[in-house]
């Protein structure tokens, strides 16, 4: 097991600003002083309760209670083990790590399965790219397909590492086997079919993708996690997915379809004021947008859009323009996800080409370039206008019955809107489009709601409960630890006076308090910078992050600390005292030496309890 030197860890944490690490995943805004806040990556929310403190080097979410330091953040958000997370951060920020002698350094054995699968995808993407560029008949075919059929440039292929999966090939499997990836990683990476129980070998690893155009799918951090493969004339007849125009990687430890949007890694850097996300249907649409200079386009994997994807967008920017094919499938898909988008707090609009019967974003941009974007934006519809037109295309000819039915469909969307103000604005908009009185529409909405179960119609996502002990009843150890972390005077006084055996070592806070006080008592405590080295587990880091984010107690410091100390003392002595009394009672009145010693112990404990320790702190 490679062990990273403590000095290296300290160096890393000194050199890497937690803001710079978190901001890759969470859009952060200044929140005064050295604090930043953003939408929590660990639970669903619309108003930011995720705080990052750059001077303390910790983060904490006041919604779901997750907290920790830069290493735990990377562990949690990227699913890495401790050492992997440290190595990942070091690599990103150009920090050289030193390992304990004899511990080996980074080695294949210790890489997690996920890490291996990431690497396999990196190598596979390069392999497919080389096949795309190869001076072979198939290489020529695929480049021709790219430039003539799809009308993309070679430069775009290079930029997105577009590739080609050879028709019959064992080269990728052979190359990966030479790199000594674990059988488990090869089995689970999604690039091969492997019979159950068969050992991975060039002959047993059958490529999933053959004779297809390969589009690498990256996660929001830009790592290749999967592929979309486009069918070609070359796709062999025995491909199990021969008829599918597009086939995707299956879900793997690094790829969850519903949590990923194509091109989000690049688009998120380009969104901003006046530059909303543009949601298109397919990866090639997104590539087309990029090629004409529209750099904010993202695409779901396959047709259906999930709540997870919408929340992912919301994390970076609230405005989304939906630009789907004008065919009925595209429009239906858009109408289906609209309620979820509103629920996620996204401001949706729908791009259309005024007067156009059929519209295909790919063709439109190909013909007119970026100018087409301005054109479709002029014809943009608001979310409600789009919804109204979808459920009732011919409002002019519709009678009361049809309008009522349309209204009911629209109410189902409206109930997803959390803000009362926004809901009423939407209601007025619907009234206009349906050409009915807003007041009667509002009455119908109320009836609809009461039929739906009355109560509140907006379903608020419930963040998972904050870890119990922290927000509510703190243990005594936790409370003292909290005081120690905020007040050096308390720390020093307790270090000198709190008997080690009073601390409950079964508690995380207890172990940490004990370690901290021992450090203070035995060494010259240089202050909080040293705290980090004392934290041994993730649990401890989380706890410290929580406590550091609490507002420091300013009043009655001495009194409160003394109370804590006294509580520990009682908890320690009282059960002993009861035990002694039981024993005294069982001995009866026959005086013997045992009894004498018990009585002496009782007197001593009683005296101690009557004179609790007092710390030399101002009250
Ligand atoms: Zn949270």
């Amino acid at each position: 097991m490679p062990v990273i030197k403590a000095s290296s860890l300290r160096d890393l944490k000194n050199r890497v600003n937690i803001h710079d690490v978190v901001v890759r995943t969470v859009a952060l805004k200044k929140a005064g002083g050295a604090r930043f806040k953003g939408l929590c990556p660990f639970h669903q929310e619309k108003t930011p309760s995720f705080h990052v403190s750059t001077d303390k080097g910790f983060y904490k979410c006041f919604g779901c209670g997750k907290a920790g330091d830069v290493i735990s953040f990377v562990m949690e958000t990227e699913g890495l083990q401790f050492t992997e997370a440290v190595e990942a951060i070091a690599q990103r920020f150009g920090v050289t790590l030193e390992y304990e002698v004899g511990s080996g350094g980074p080695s294949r054995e210790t890489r997690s399965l996920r890490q291996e699968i990431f690497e396999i995808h990196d190598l596979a993407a390069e392999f497919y790219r080389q096949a795309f560029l190869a001076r072979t008949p198939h290489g020529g075919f695929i480049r021709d397909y790219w430039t003539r059929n799809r009308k993309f440039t070679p430069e775009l292929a290079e930029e997105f590492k577009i590739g080609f999966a050879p028709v019959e090939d064992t080269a990728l499997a052979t190359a990966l086997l030479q790199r000594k990836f674990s059988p488990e990683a090869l089995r689970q990476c999604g690039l091969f079919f492997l019979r159950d129980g068969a050992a991975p070998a060039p002959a047993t690893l059958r490529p999933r993708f053959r004779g297809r155009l390969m589009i690498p799918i990256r996660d929001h951090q830009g790592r290749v996690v999967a592929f979309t493969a486009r069918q070609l004339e070359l796709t062999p007849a025995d491909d199990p997915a021969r008829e599918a125009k597009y086939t995707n990687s299956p879900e793997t430890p690094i790829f969850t379809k519903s949590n990923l949007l194509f091109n989000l890694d690049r688009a998120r850097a380009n969104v901003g004021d006046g530059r909303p996300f543009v949601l298109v249907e397919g990866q090639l649409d997104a590539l087309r947008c990029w090629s004409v200079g529209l750099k904010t386009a993202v695409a779901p994997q396959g047709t259906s859009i999930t709540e997870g994807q919408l929340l992912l967008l919301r994390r970076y920017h609230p405005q989304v323009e939906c630009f789907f094919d004008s065919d009925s499938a595209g429009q239906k898909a858009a109408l289906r996800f609209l309620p979820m988008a509103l629920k996620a707090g996204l401001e949706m609009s729908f791009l259309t080409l005024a007067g156009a019967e059929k519209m295909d974003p790919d063709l439109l941009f190909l013909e007119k370039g970026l100018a087409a974007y301005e054109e479709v934006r002029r014809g943009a519809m608001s979310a409600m206008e789009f919804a109204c037109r979808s459920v009732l295309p011919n409002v002019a000819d519709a009678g009361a019955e049809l309008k009522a039915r349309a209204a009911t469909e629209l109410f189902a969307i409206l109930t997803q809107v959390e803000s009362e103000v926004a809901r009423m604005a939407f209601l007025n908009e619907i009234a206009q489009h349906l050409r009915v009185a807003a007041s009667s529409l509002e009455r119908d909405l109320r009836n609809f709601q009461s039929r739906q179960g009355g109560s509140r119609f907006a379903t608020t996502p419930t963040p998972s409960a904050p870890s119990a002990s922290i927000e509510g009843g703190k243990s005594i150890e936790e409370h003292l630890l909290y005081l120690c972390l905020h007040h050096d005077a308390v720390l020093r006084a307790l270090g000198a006076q709190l008997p080690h055996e009073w601390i409950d070592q079964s508690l995380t806070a207890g172990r940490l308090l004990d370690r901290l006080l021992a450090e203070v008592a035995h060494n010259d405590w240089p202050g909080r910078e040293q705290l980090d080295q004392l934290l041994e587990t993730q649990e401890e880091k989380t706890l410290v992050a929580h406590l550091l984010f609490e507002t420091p107690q300013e009043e009655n410091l001495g009194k409160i600390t003394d109370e804590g100390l006294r509580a520990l003392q009682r908890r320690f002595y009282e059960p002993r005292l009861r035990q002694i009394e039981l024993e005294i009672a069982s001995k009866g009145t026959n005086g013997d030496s045992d009894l004498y010693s018990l009585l002496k112990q009782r007197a001593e404990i009683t005296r101690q309890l009557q004179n609790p320790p007092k710390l030399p702190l101002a009250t």
Side-chain angles (χ1 to χ4, degrees):
M1 252 288 273
V3 179
I4 296 163
K5 278 191 177 171
S7 56
S8 261
L9 281 179
R10 218 173 319 142
D11 185 41
L12 180 88
K13 297 190 68 168
N14 284 339
R15 287 172 55 183
V16 176
N17 185 332
I18 189 167
H19 168 275
D20 301 339
V21 174
V22 172
V23 82
R24 294 166 64 104
T25 316
V26 180
L28 290 172
K29 287 202 182 102
K30 268 220 160 256
R35 277 217 196 180
F36 291 84
K37 63 181 180 174
L39 295 173
C40 178
F42 304 113
H43 83 279
Q44 301 178 359
E45 62 175 4
K46 278 170 251 165
T47 47
S49 48
F50 181 81
H51 288 241
V52 173
S53 161
T54 50
D55 58 346
K56 293 181 182 129
F58 283 98
Y59 62 88
K60 171 173 176 166
C61 172
F62 289 87
C64 68
K66 286 260 185 193
D69 66 356
V70 39
I71 299 169
S72 42
F73 184 83
V74 172
M75 288 171 71
E76 293 254 3
T77 53
E78 299 177 30
L80 299 178
Q81 306 292 320
F82 179 82
T83 305
E84 294 165 2
V86 174
E87 286 171 350
I89 299 168
Q91 196 186 9
R92 270 171 226 165
F93 292 89
V95 179
T96 313
L97 295 175
E98 285 177 32
Y99 294 83
E100 294 294 349
V101 180
S103 75
S107 66
R108 179 130 297 161
E109 289 74 47
T110 58
R111 290 179 317 174
S112 71
L113 185 64
R114 281 169 52 88
Q115 195 84 2
E116 280 196 83
I117 297 178
F118 277 128
E119 264 180 59
I120 289 176
H121 276 78
D122 234 26
L123 293 167
E126 182 56 27
F127 173 82
Y128 295 137
R129 175 176 163 264
Q130 291 302 337
F132 183 96
L133 298 172
R135 299 275 146 219
T136 58
H138 281 177
F141 171 89
I142 191 69
R143 288 191 298 276
D144 218 43
Y145 171 82
W146 181 254
T147 49
R148 290 200 198 164
N149 287 46
R150 308 306 311 199
K151 304 207 162 45
F152 285 119
T153 62
E155 290 74 28
L156 190 80
E158 193 58 28
E159 196 174 359
F160 283 83
K161 255 196 180 181
I162 300 300
F164 172 65
V167 177
E168 278 310 332
D169 201 77
T170 53
L172 178 59
T174 308
L176 293 177
L177 285 163
Q178 273 166 2
R179 294 263 194 154
K180 302 248 180 306
F181 286 100
S182 68
E184 212 38 44
L186 292 169
R187 198 182 303 276
Q188 292 194 35
C189 69
L191 300 178
F192 303 100
F193 297 112
L194 182 65
R195 219 173 7 124
D196 277 348
T204 57
L205 288 168
R206 284 186 19 89
R208 176 182 295 269
F209 305 113
R210 288 178 299 149
R212 286 177 180 264
L213 177 81
M214 300 299 286
I215 306 167
I217 312 283
R218 294 160 199 276
D219 66 7
H220 65 285
Q221 299 192 42
R223 298 175 297 190
V224 177
V225 294
F227 294 92
T228 286
R230 173 71 165 84
Q231 176 204 68
L232 302 165
E233 286 160 45
L234 292 174
T235 311
D238 65 343
D239 177 349
R242 175 71 180 91
E243 296 313 315
K245 227 185 203 180
Y246 291 93
T247 163
N248 285 320
S249 293
E251 302 226 326
T252 69
I254 62 168
F255 177 51
T256 313
K257 258 203 305 205
S258 58
N259 278 329
L260 204 129
L261 285 151
F262 180 74
N263 204 41
L264 181 61
D265 57 316
R266 295 166 195 245
R268 71 187 177 115
N270 291 294
V271 291
D273 281 341
R275 295 188 313 277
F277 280 116
V278 177
L279 185 64
V280 293
E281 273 178 85
Q283 287 104 348
L284 291 175
D285 294 329
L287 288 177
R288 178 68 65 208
C289 291
W290 186 272
S291 73
V292 300
L294 177 55
K295 309 221 158 180
T296 53
V298 293
Q301 311 300 315
T303 44
S304 62
I305 290 177
T306 67
E307 198 175 0
Q309 290 168 334
L310 296 166
L311 287 165
L312 201 53
L313 289 179
R314 179 62 188 84
R315 228 200 258 170
Y316 299 106
H317 197 67
Q319 290 163 335
V320 177
E321 294 172 338
C322 175
F323 194 16
F324 278 13
D325 282 7
S326 62
D327 64 11
S328 61
Q331 298 305 294
K332 269 191 194 135
L335 190 62
R336 245 198 324 272
F337 81 76
L338 178 60
M340 277 191 294
L342 296 177
K343 194 175 165 203
L346 286 171
E347 297 161 35
M348 296 293 306
S349 60
F350 292 80
L351 302 183
T352 61
L353 199 53
E357 270 298 290
K358 264 183 71 69
M359 185 186 63
D360 175 343
D362 185 29
L363 284 179
L364 188 70
F365 281 128
L366 182 58
E367 277 170 23
K368 302 189 178 176
L370 197 55
Y373 180 50
E374 291 313 317
E375 204 176 324
V376 291
R377 281 188 113 180
R378 280 196 292 276
M381 287 191 273
S382 70
M384 284 310 129
E385 186 179 356
F386 170 78
C388 290
R389 289 198 186 192
S390 303
V391 301
L392 193 62
N394 275 318
V395 67
D397 304 333
E401 179 71 11
L402 272 182
K403 286 184 182 178
R405 210 176 299 156
T408 309
E409 272 187 68
L410 295 166
F411 291 158
I413 297 174
L414 272 190
T415 52
Q416 298 299 321
V417 182
E418 274 191 25
S419 146
E420 182 78 27
V421 177
R423 194 165 45 241
M424 285 308 127
F426 284 152
L427 189 85
N428 284 326
E429 224 184 308
I430 293 175
Q432 259 177 28
H433 286 295
L434 295 186
R435 303 178 192 177
V436 297
S439 56
S440 53
L441 200 62
E442 195 178 337
R443 243 189 337 270
D444 285 353
L445 175 63
R446 302 277 168 226
N447 289 337
F448 177 84
Q449 286 166 244
S450 58
R451 279 203 304 280
Q452 294 287 302
S455 67
R456 274 183 52 72
F457 29 89
T459 44
T460 329
T462 33
S464 52
S467 40
S469 62
I470 289 166
E471 303 298 335
K474 277 201 190 91
S475 69
I476 311 162
E477 277 82 354
E478 222 169 288
H479 201 87
L480 288 175
L481 184 60
Y482 150 78
L483 292 170
C484 286
L485 290 176
H486 286 283
H487 305 280
D488 254 22
V490 174
L491 178 63
R492 288 176 198 284
L494 278 179
Q497 293 221 11
L498 175 58
H500 156 88
E501 68 269 21
W502 291 5
I503 299 172
D504 182 351
Q505 303 280 336
S506 71
L507 303 169
T508 304
R511 288 190 298 276
L512 199 51
L513 181 66
D514 191 43
R515 213 177 301 143
L516 188 60
L517 296 181
E519 195 67 22
V520 173
H522 298 130
N523 301 312
D524 197 19
W525 176 247
R528 207 189 266 150
E529 306 82 71
Q530 197 168 309
L531 182 62
D532 228 52
Q533 297 166 56
L534 291 179
L535 305 181
E536 288 174 359
T537 64
Q538 193 52 42
E539 231 183 329
E540 292 174 1
K541 283 185 185 179
T542 306
L543 177 66
V544 165
H546 272 292
L547 298 177
L548 282 176
F549 268 98
E550 284 188 29
T551 324
Q553 185 121 28
E554 299 297 351
E555 283 171 36
N556 292 332
L557 209 53
K559 186 167 165 260
I560 287 165
T561 314
D562 282 345
E563 277 170 15
L565 205 52
R566 180 158 175 70
L568 283 186
Q569 187 196 31
R570 273 206 233 106
R571 195 187 63 194
F572 181 72
Y573 280 123
E574 281 174 355
R576 278 157 203 256
L577 195 59
R578 277 197 294 279
Q579 185 61 34
I580 290 169
E581 280 170 347
L582 270 177
E583 286 179 32
I584 292 173
S586 73
K587 300 256 178 220
T589 47
N590 301 331
D592 58 25
S593 59
D594 270 8
L595 181 63
Y596 176 71
S597 129
L598 285 171
L599 290 170
K600 226 177 94 178
Q601 280 182 46
R602 181 174 69 177
E604 175 56 24
I605 292 178
T606 312
R607 190 189 64 75
Q608 293 235 18
L609 286 173
Q610 280 163 357
N611 298 291
K614 268 198 183 310
L615 296 181
L617 290 168
T619 48

